[in-house]
Amino acid sequence: MLFYDCTTAPNPRRARMLIAEKGLEIETRNISIAKAEQLDGAFLAVNPNATIPVLVTDEGATLTENLGIAAYLEARFPEPPLMGRTPDEKGLVLMWNSIVEQQGGVPIAEALRNTHPAFKDRAIPGPANYAQIPELAQRGMDRVGRFFDLLETRLKDSAFVAGAEFTLADISTFVFVDFARVIKMRIPQENTATLSWFDKIASRTSAQL
């Protein structure tokens, strides 16, 4: 297998954490977004969508989305399970993973990419250039606040995001919550359930990557 990573971006970190949780060592090539290496011809030949992460499997498939990478690694290396064991658990993991992507990851990206000078004319990842829309950044900031509220409500009743066990949903949530620092938003101090959960995930070896 061959893994294309970027050490500064949240989505590759999600895949990196999952690989570590599975106890795998995979040959890795780092692609620097800061240097726009995702737009180089050599990388576009691997992924024309110009996004990272990418996993090229031993069988020759090129997987360019976190969920596809996770599904492949879970099927090939089922222990420890990170996407649930029972039908209910599997459904809850994918449901919560989707919730945190759409209600956490997307608004953080909106807030960052529509304001930061580094993303001028690069407001959306991919091969095409898009101008920044500052109004989307303000909406994104508001949505991140609501995301923190959603997490607190959930984690008051659940040890982990999708249920009683650590899963892919916790990886995605942890990475997005941690990455929210780039838009100067942190877990509110009164959200004690979320803070406790965050510290629990941060203590895992994979979270150091």
Side-chain angles (χ1 to χ4, degrees):
M1 291 183 286
L2 179 59
F3 177 57
Y4 289 85
D5 194 3
C6 176
T7 56
T8 60
N11 280 323
R13 187 184 183 194
R14 292 165 61 193
R16 197 161 63 244
M17 283 185 67
L18 185 136
I19 289 167
E21 290 285 343
K22 289 290 186 182
L24 304 174
E25 293 186 6
I26 300 176
E27 180 184 351
T28 299
R29 295 181 187 170
N30 192 63
I31 303 297
S32 173
I33 291 176
K35 297 178 181 177
E37 290 177 352
Q38 79 277 19
L39 300 175
D40 288 348
F43 182 72
L44 289 174
V46 176
N47 180 15
N49 292 324
T51 58
I52 314 163
V54 175
L55 180 69
V56 180
T57 72
D58 288 337
E59 297 81 4
T62 300
L63 306 175
T64 63
E65 298 293 334
N66 265 294
L67 192 56
I69 292 170
Y72 171 82
L73 293 177
E74 183 84 347
R76 187 167 174 191
F77 307 99
E79 297 295 334
L82 296 173
M83 298 180 74
R85 290 188 184 275
T86 69
D88 278 4
E89 289 172 353
K90 291 176 184 294
L92 285 166
V93 170
L94 292 184
M95 180 187 82
W96 276 103
N97 193 72
S98 179
I99 288 171
V100 301
E101 284 183 337
Q102 295 302 316
Q103 299 189 39
V106 169
I108 292 168
E110 281 187 339
L112 174 65
R113 298 188 74 102
N114 284 288
T115 55
H116 198 287
F119 295 103
K120 185 178 184 298
D121 296 323
R122 294 290 303 158
I124 298 177
N129 294 331
Y130 289 92
Q132 293 175 324
I133 303 175
E135 292 82 359
L136 289 180
Q138 186 55 52
R139 185 182 73 180
M141 298 285 283
D142 180 75
R143 292 185 66 203
V144 173
R146 294 175 183 274
F147 175 61
F148 285 145
D149 291 342
L150 179 153
L151 282 181
E152 182 67 7
T153 299
R154 173 60 175 170
L155 292 167
K156 282 180 177 178
D157 296 327
S158 182
F160 294 94
V161 172
E165 304 293 335
F166 173 86
T167 69
L168 173 69
D170 294 286
I171 292 175
S172 296
T173 308
F174 175 80
V175 170
F176 291 141
V177 169
D178 194 35
F179 193 66
R181 68 185 183 278
V182 300
I183 58 169
K184 297 181 172 58
M185 292 195 72
R186 308 307 293 150
I187 301 167
Q189 287 302 304
E190 62 270 23
N191 290 19
T192 55
T194 308
L195 288 168
S196 177
W197 165 86
F198 186 86
D199 289 344
K200 181 167 55 178
I201 306 303
S203 69
R204 301 179 76 92
T205 302
S206 66
Q208 312 309 313
L209 300 175

